[in-house]
Amino acid sequence: MSIQLTNSNFQQEVLQSELPVIVDFWAVWCGPCKALGPTIEQISVDLAGKVKVGKVNVDDEPALANAYRISSIPTVMLFKGGKAAGQVVGLMSKENLLKRLGL
């Protein structure tokens, strides 16, 4: 199950995480984001204990979207050791997403 990420928990859940973290930047009105949602949830189940998965609603958390220069959604970022380590923009299969993130 993915974690809802906000300004108040992003530091602890993502930047201070000992596990790599996949962050899905999305919005309710975004069709491709909705289509990617089940894939993100499946990744959270498949990689439980190895990778943490979280979601940032860009409408609710514009400061986080701006901080990471999110200009198109869905954008999925991988954080390792508190640093951005990969980014993928757009809708794609689970296999391609994981491959492009290096997982």
Side-chain angles (χ1 to χ4, degrees), residues 36 38-40 42-44 46 92-100 103:
L36 185 62
T39 300
I40 297 295
Q42 188 60 53
I43 289 170
S44 75
D46 292 350
M92 63 187 63
S93 70
K94 179 178 91 170
E95 293 76 20
N96 283 340
L97 179 62
L98 291 173
K99 181 179 176 184
R100 296 211 24 217
L103 294 173

Side-chain angles (χ1 to χ4, degrees), residues 33-66:
C33 298
K34 288 181 183 177
L36 185 62
T39 300
I40 297 295
E41 290 302 321
Q42 188 60 53
I43 289 170
S44 75
V45 171
D46 292 350
L47 299 180
K50 298 176 187 163
V51 174
K52 194 185 292 189
V53 178
K55 296 175 73 76
V56 174
N57 183 323
V58 298
D59 289 336
D60 294 343
E61 304 295 336
L64 281 175
N66 287 336

